[in-house]
Amino acid sequence: MRNISYFCIVKENNCIFKTIFAVLLTLTFYSTRAQIALPSEMDSVKICLLTCGPGNEVWSLYGHTAIRIENRINGTDIVVNYGTFSLKQKMFVLRFIFGLTDYSMGICGITDFIAEYTYEGRWVKQQELNLLPEEKMNIVKAIEINARPENINYRYNFFYNNCTTRARDLIVRNINGEVIFENKMENSPSFRTMIHGCNEHDRWARFGNDLLLGIKADFRTSRSQQQFLPANLERDFSNASIAYDNGKRRKLVSGSSMLIPESIAKGSPGCSSESIVTPLLLSICLLIAVAVATLVQLLTKRRMWILDSILMVSSGLAGVILFAMLFSSHPTVNLNLQILILNPISLILAYKITRNGMKGKGHWYWKVTAACCILFLIGNCIQVYAEGMNILALSLLIRSVVNSSKAYK
């Protein structure tokens, strides 16, 4: 997977597609050759859901999901995942911001898959699916259809259409009965709460997520929505069963095992350390600087126009990004109260405000900024802000109130 600022996916693999397609075509050939032979052929096929632990890169903090297909007769063992991407795509970052990024289905051998995740220090858990021969055949056919050039790419969305939801849908839609998730939902956490559990050790990744995510990311989620995270889907699959109209049921997962234990993964290279400089620390330093500068201004009656210029330009530049989110296809970013203090208008008026400050004059926009800061602070009731944003709002409010006072008009 990959986060909103960049969201959970494995790196683009060097896969041998010719071999894989040969395997898939061999399996699907049985459906046209003889339906009687189908059960005996598919009994040798094992299909598993693979859940992978988090990595150290931003896009790997949330884990990963893949599907393993093992054929014991011909000795083939492949991994299918829907998280392949390339940073070399034209305007990748811009397309990602606006929700227009295409990801691909990737296929590689299980040996290469295990080697890569072992090196990256990430555990891998396998859940063998308790499927009928016909259901296995349907899943293999669906993968073969997905692997066609016209279908291999799909429009990616971190919460609603990612590597995990794609794997889940492919499996569930090709099962004869209805998949029932037996485990009770103790609560209905928001999207933001769930991803906080994944990026708690990377404060800057969390800050980037929270800065871009809006009010909709704080709504309660359904079970289906919660399954965008690999760990949640693994948990639900382990407690799921397949129900039929006649009342019969069978477990969805027949057994589970660790392909890469956590003990081995923790000893692998690439361990990251948390940054000492955090968004909270920087915001506190800014508040102290603003408080000191404001005190000097009150004592000397001189405007701190350099500080005000820096605040207007920096908040305005950040506001351009939030303004762009209004036009994004991501459903959880286009209504964001943080644009009240990170406002692109500040950038437009920065020159005029600075000129007035140099001449010892005020500007009407300071009153607007003060009002926006107050509304922003009230907005804590309905939206969770990025770390340090409330302190930034206080800093802007202090400067706005002082520069709007009659003593400085």
Side-chain angles (χ1 to χ4, degrees), residues 42-43 45-48 128-137 139 171-172 174-176 179 242 244 250-254:
M42 298 312 295
D43 282 341
V45 174
K46 181 172 73 171
I47 298 180
C48 304
E128 183 175 352
L129 303 180
N130 183 26
L131 302 175
L132 301 175
E134 181 184 355
E135 294 168 339
K136 295 178 183 179
M137 194 68 209
I139 291 175
I171 292 170
V172 171
N174 288 286
I175 289 178
N176 293 335
V179 176
I242 303 171
Y244 297 94
R250 60 184 161 95
K251 283 288 187 179
L252 176 60
V253 174
S254 60

Side-chain angles (χ1 to χ4, degrees), residues 5-40:
S5 31
Y6 299 48
F7 290 134
C8 150
I9 309 287
V10 293
K11 295 179 288 184
E12 189 171 16
N13 299 305
N14 294 322
C15 303
I16 309 175
F17 281 95
K18 290 184 179 180
T19 303
I20 302 309
F21 287 137
V23 174
L24 294 173
L25 289 174
T26 298
L27 290 172
T28 55
F29 177 71
Y30 289 116
S31 63
T32 58
R33 186 186 65 179
Q35 291 296 331
I36 299 178
L38 178 61
S40 61

Side-chain angles (χ1 to χ4, degrees), residues 192 196 206-213 336 338 384-386:
R192 195 190 307 272
H196 276 185
R206 173 181 289 193
F207 176 82
N209 283 330
D210 287 341
L211 187 63
L212 296 182
L213 290 173
N336 192 340
Q338 291 171 115
V384 177
Y385 298 137

